[in-house]
Amino acid sequence: MRRTTPLIILIICLLLPIHSGLGLASPKTSNNLYNDAKYKFKIIFPRGWNLTKGYTEGGIVVQAVEKKHGSNIAIIVKNLPKNYTAEMMSEKEVAKFMEGVKRSSPDAVLLSSAVTKIDNRKAFMLKHAESYSFLGIKVAMKILTFLTVNNEKLFIINCGTLPELYGGLENTFIETVSTFSFGR
């Protein structure tokens, strides 16, 4: 009996964080589910990040902000021409998107891009660096952007943070985006 006690304690210690909601959890196990009835999508944001919901003129539908450093994940929705689908998106249009980024942030640099899938739809992933000025202070950002289309709407998922924090958050960003799905 004495030999099994440490083993039982170890098992309890390993399982306790899973059942109590403590410890490290991927976004897939968090309770930060956002379900948008208007645009018919769902996403699970990282646990502990603050959600700001509401529709803005800039198209932001929801944003999750990490409390300590202000890292964020924002969902932006824009109208597209009638009958436009995800399969119609091309690298040429993605280049136009980056031109728009450069207009607002002239020092923006595209670091990498790839074709991927979000909820089994064609999507583009862009990793870029840019900066902006706020109250005379220049702030550098590293951003992972995903672009996809559903029901004649462009869905932009921006995941941004300070360059020195990006390496530690990139997997969190990708895991979060992997939970994004459209309503059926």
Side-chain angles (χ1 to χ4, degrees):
M1 182 71 171
R2 285 212 185 270
R3 289 185 181 191
T4 59
T5 303
L7 180 60
I8 292 170
I9 291 172
L10 176 63
I11 291 170
I12 290 171
C13 288
L14 290 173
L15 293 176
L16 185 62
I18 295 169
H19 293 291
S20 67
L22 301 173
L24 297 175
S26 74
K28 292 178 183 175
T29 62
S30 80
N31 58 1
N32 238 357
L33 173 66
Y34 176 78
N35 192 347
D36 191 273
K38 181 176 180 180
Y39 294 113
K40 296 179 174 64
F41 72 86
K42 294 184 237 182
I43 187 168
I44 301 172
F45 289 109
R47 183 182 5 201
W49 289 38
N50 293 327
L51 296 185
T52 305
K53 304 169 191 173
Y55 305 101
T56 69
E57 287 181 30
I60 296 176
V61 173
V62 62
Q63 180 170 259
V65 178
E66 181 266 339
K67 297 172 191 173
K68 188 173 182 182
H69 300 288
S71 304
N72 69 75
I73 301 169
I75 312 291
I76 301 161
V77 180
K78 300 284 188 179
N79 290 323
L80 291 171
K82 191 173 175 111
N83 298 320
Y84 194 94
T85 67
E87 293 307 315
M88 298 167 80
M89 266 194 321
S90 69
E91 290 186 28
K92 182 180 176 183
E93 288 169 323
V94 172
K96 285 182 187 177
F97 176 84
M98 274 309 297
E99 287 172 14
V101 170
K102 287 183 179 189
R103 276 193 297 279
S104 64
S105 183
D107 66 347
V109 176
L110 179 62
L111 303 171
S112 65
S113 66
V115 177
T116 187
K117 296 266 186 185
I118 294 179
D119 196 26
N120 292 316
R121 287 172 175 76
K122 181 179 179 180
F124 283 89
M125 179 181 72
L126 311 167
K127 187 186 304 186
H128 52 104
E130 62 182 78
S131 64
Y132 63 92
S133 291
F134 181 72
L135 299 174
I137 300 169
K138 189 172 184 176
V139 179
M141 296 287 293
K142 199 163 186 183
I143 301 170
L144 189 61
T145 299
F146 293 85
L147 307 168
T148 194
V149 174
N150 189 51
N151 292 331
E152 300 167 352
K153 305 235 181 297
L154 174 65
F155 288 78
I156 304 166
I157 307 171
N158 272 337
C159 310
T161 191
L162 300 171
E164 61 270 21
L165 300 176
Y166 184 85
L169 286 171
E170 184 175 41
N171 284 340
T172 298
F173 292 155
I174 291 168
E175 286 177 13
T176 300
V177 173
S178 77
T179 70
F180 186 97
S181 65
F182 293 104
R184 304 277 187 251

